[in-house]
Amino acid sequence: MTAIIPEISLIVPCHNEVENLSALYDRIKAVMEKTGKSWEMVCVNDGSMDSTLEYLMALQQQDHRIIVIDLSRNFGKEAALTAALDHARGNCAIPLDADLQDPPELIPELLIKWQEGYDIVNAVRLSRDGESWLKRASAHAFYRIINRMSVVDIPTDTGDFRLLSRPVLDALKMLPERRRFMKGLFAWVGFRTTEVYYHREPRY
Ligand code: UDP
Ligand code: MG
């Protein structure tokens, strides 16, 4: 059997997300069908205690575009993302959270910017519905402090939701860092970067 390389890799770290996966899959499928592009969805089970793994395996049986990576324990989101990005086969990859806080409906806008020639397209949050005052204030303080320490500018109000082109993915693979802060590394590698904007929804 020859493997057909998909154009787009969707990257989903999953820690106890079984209740979100059905809605996530439905929304991703609907959006990707409209783009007319071939795709895969690389899901990493990051040491879930619920039946996330069983759900993903069942999904994989019915849709071979689903790729499942099962980590041996909970390593945390940064490690889960790294594992998935290393397995992505597409010409670009789009990490998004399993809880639908990163709306899949934004994917076509990310793809348009990529087709215009950008290598990184950051999805920037305009609002954080359902997030507490404390979460907003601590996130704001975090980015102010880290950007004072860092030589590269780490964009505020940008999560892991973004598009990364194949040259960026290959550059990330060459970095030796083992304990990783992906948002920092995404900024560090450089490349032509732009942004699109969206409203962040509450956890599904
Ligand atoms: N996640 C993960 N490992 C962890 C914690 C979280 O893979 O140890 C995943 C989680 O399933 C979700 C994404 O990382 O897809 C973001 O997690 P969460 O929604 O808890 O974070 P927040 O929305 O607060 O950034
Ligand atoms: Mg979340």
Side-chain angles (χ1 to χ4, degrees):
M1 196 177 82
T2 46
I4 297 157
I5 310 268
E7 284 173 273
I8 298 158
S9 300
L10 305 164
I11 302 292
V12 189
C14 303
H15 179 64
N16 299 338
E17 297 284 6
V18 70
E19 283 167 17
N20 295 326
L21 292 174
S22 158
L24 175 77
Y25 172 67
D26 288 347
R27 278 172 64 176
I28 283 185
K29 205 165 81 167
V31 167
M32 294 315 292
E33 250 147 47
K34 274 193 227 155
T35 68
K37 304 218 175 284
S38 61
W39 55 281
E40 65 179 357
M41 179 168 139
V42 184
C43 300
V44 175
N45 175 43
D46 184 22
S48 296
M49 270 107 65
D50 67 1
S51 50
T52 291
L53 179 63
E54 290 73 13
Y55 193 94
L56 289 174
M57 298 302 281
L59 207 57
Q60 202 271 332
Q61 284 301 307
Q62 79 185 47
D63 186 339
H64 293 298
R65 292 172 297 192
I66 311 291
I67 311 287
V68 184
I69 299 170
D70 183 32
L71 301 186
S72 58
R73 65 168 170 84
N74 177 235
F75 283 90
K77 183 188 179 175
E78 307 296 326
L81 256 182
T82 301
L85 288 170
D86 282 349
H87 277 78
R89 295 174 300 164
N91 291 328
C92 69
I94 302 174
L96 70 173
D97 287 359
D99 60 11
L100 290 162
Q101 286 199 278
D102 303 331
E105 292 71 22
L106 196 72
I107 291 171
E109 282 184 50
L110 299 173
L111 293 175
I112 287 170
K113 294 287 179 193
W114 176 51
Q115 280 154 345
E116 286 172 10
Y118 290 98
D119 284 295
I120 299 183
V121 188
N122 291 327
V124 178
R125 304 184 269 246
L126 291 172
S127 62
R128 290 165 170 261
D129 286 352
E131 287 187 355
S132 67
W133 170 87
L134 187 65
K135 168 102 192 191
R136 277 193 289 237
S138 58
H140 181 74
F142 173 80
Y143 285 104
R144 259 205 7 225
I145 294 166
I146 201 156
N147 275 326
R148 216 172 270 179
M149 300 187 317
S150 165
V151 290
V152 290
D153 210 25
I154 298 169
T156 321
D157 288 326
T158 306
D160 294 309
F161 190 27
R162 65 188 71 207
L163 180 144
L164 306 162
S165 71
R166 174 48 55 192
V168 175
L169 296 170
D170 290 341
L172 286 169
K173 275 194 193 174
M174 287 172 9
L175 299 181
E177 277 79 4
R178 294 212 135 325
R179 297 183 63 93
R180 298 176 136 209
F181 176 56
M182 295 308 287
K183 290 189 260 284
L185 296 179
F186 294 153
W188 187 85
V189 291
F191 291 95
R192 274 194 80 194
T193 302
T194 188
E195 337 187 290
V196 299
Y197 301 91
Y198 75 107
H199 289 282
R200 185 145 167 102
E201 285 162 50
R203 188 168 237 286
Y204 183 73

